[in-house]
Amino acid sequence: MTPHHTTWFPIPEHSDFSIYNLPFGIFSTPDRTPRVGIAIGEHIIDLADLAQSGLWDNIAPASVFEQNTLNAFIRLGKKTTSAVRLKVQELLCDPESPLKSVMDGRFFVAQSEATMYLPVEIGDYTDFYSSIEHATNVGKMFRDPANALLPNWRHLPVGYHGRASSIVVSGTPIRRPHGQVLPKGAEVPVFQASARLDFELEMAFIIGKDTPMGATIATADAEEYIFGMVLFNDWSARDIQAWEYVPLGPFLGKNFGSSVSPWVVTLDALEPFRVPGPTQEPQPLPYLQCDRPANYDIALEVSITPENSTETVVCRSNFKYMYWNMPQQLAHHTVNGCNVRVGDLMASGTISGSTEDSFGSMLELAWQGTKPLPMSDGTERVFIRDLDTVTMRGHAEKDGIRVGFGEVTGKVLGV
Ligand code: MN
């Protein structure tokens, strides 16, 4: 059980950003350049100012906090980044904390007044396909309902290399892509705006430590290489994807945009929510075996908000449903000697559960357009329309301790 912490700092009940969380992000205000901060309640602690202040022992060089990405900070290693987080927790709990006397705002910024940025410079981006429910649903729709999973699926975490250049922070609008699509019954494609724009509910982890080329990461060591996690919306154009993906996999149906939440929640903060994953049958090869639970109980939801309307929650899922866990994904990714670098981002793949309301994409929720979803304003959706805003939220909660991710949101612009 996690030791109880009491902070003097005012935090609203049910805040994602409790004293147990303390996630890292990059923010600015009109009078503060982009810099590293920690979210607490409805505020941000300015670590660049804190590091300069002399209030804080020299745990880490001040320069790493005056950056517009977390990469330099993460590169210091977990020993340092964990110590920074624990020091901030201590300062927020100490009744005699020097931070208390400067509540005039020097170190604290309201989140409502801050602009958030992509938290890391992402070098390489990989997307896995690790939910068995999602892979089964897609297999049923596009291939053979009787043999939905391909023969490799239960033996390795299937994935593909995506594109980092179009990963954007929450709040960035996404333009509906154009591309080649094959109309139903047609033999030749047409060029048009995607008519099947979708979201994919995913989470992603950020690499916290480099490996040299040729090295492998064992499942037992994998968490040493994972700095933290974010929510991830892997926007997908299903009609473009369906025509282009054979035989090499996803391409333009995926790389026009993906959205991430701005706060990176550390594995340290997620530790109380560790749970066993689904039974893996058959047992994977030795390099993929894990000797301890490596899933996390993180409740996830997706909502759609039509323009000038109220939001409708269309999906409730959970990260614990993942068949392949993060250590297995990382062990597989590096088993051939592929190197990883600080800031690389590895996404889970769509996170679907077993019930129809837990499917992590419109493709599955509306089952290829055959089961329209009602919105609170009386309209229906089978895919995402122009000016719809898609919002994903995630949080873990246990024994009164809440650790959340905030949200990742994005509005679809027409063409
Ligand atoms: Mn995906």
Side-chain angles (χ1 to χ4, degrees), residues 21 27 42 88 138 193 197 214 234 238 246 248 280 304 309 324 331 342 357:
N21 191 350
F27 77 99
E42 291 173 339
V88 168
V138 172
L197 183 57
D234 183 20
R238 300 300 179 193
V246 183
L248 289 187
Q280 296 183 326
I304 298 173
S309 185
W324 295 104
V342 168
D357 62 349

Side-chain angles (χ1 to χ4, degrees), residues 125 127-128 160 200 202 234 236 254 349-350:
Y125 153 51
D127 196 18
F128 286 95
Y160 70 95
E200 288 189 336
E202 305 195 18
D234 183 20
S236 299
K254 296 283 192 175
T350 307

Side-chain angles (χ1 to χ4, degrees), residues 93-105:
C93 292
D94 177 5
E96 307 297 318
S97 174
L99 285 191
K100 255 179 149 172
S101 59
V102 281
M103 276 290 282
D104 54 7

Side-chain angles (χ1 to χ4, degrees), residues 137-152:
N137 286 339
V138 172
K140 278 184 194 167
M141 278 186 255
F142 291 112
R143 286 182 294 271
D144 178 1
N147 291 292
L149 287 183
L150 287 167
N152 61 1

Side-chain angles (χ1 to χ4, degrees), residues 47-99:
L47 293 195
D49 260 17
L50 198 56
Q52 293 279 0
S53 68
L55 280 180
W56 189 6
D57 307 337
N58 283 327
I59 303 174
S63 60
V64 299
F65 301 109
E66 294 155 12
Q67 309 263 338
N68 60 7
T69 70
L70 291 173
N71 295 55
F73 172 64
I74 294 173
R75 199 174 286 284
L76 295 174
K78 272 209 188 192
K79 206 173 156 219
T80 304
T81 58
S82 295
V84 166
R85 184 173 158 274
L86 289 177
K87 182 66 186 178
V88 168
Q89 191 175 53
E90 186 189 309
L91 287 167
L92 287 169
C93 292
D94 177 5
E96 307 297 318
S97 174
L99 285 191

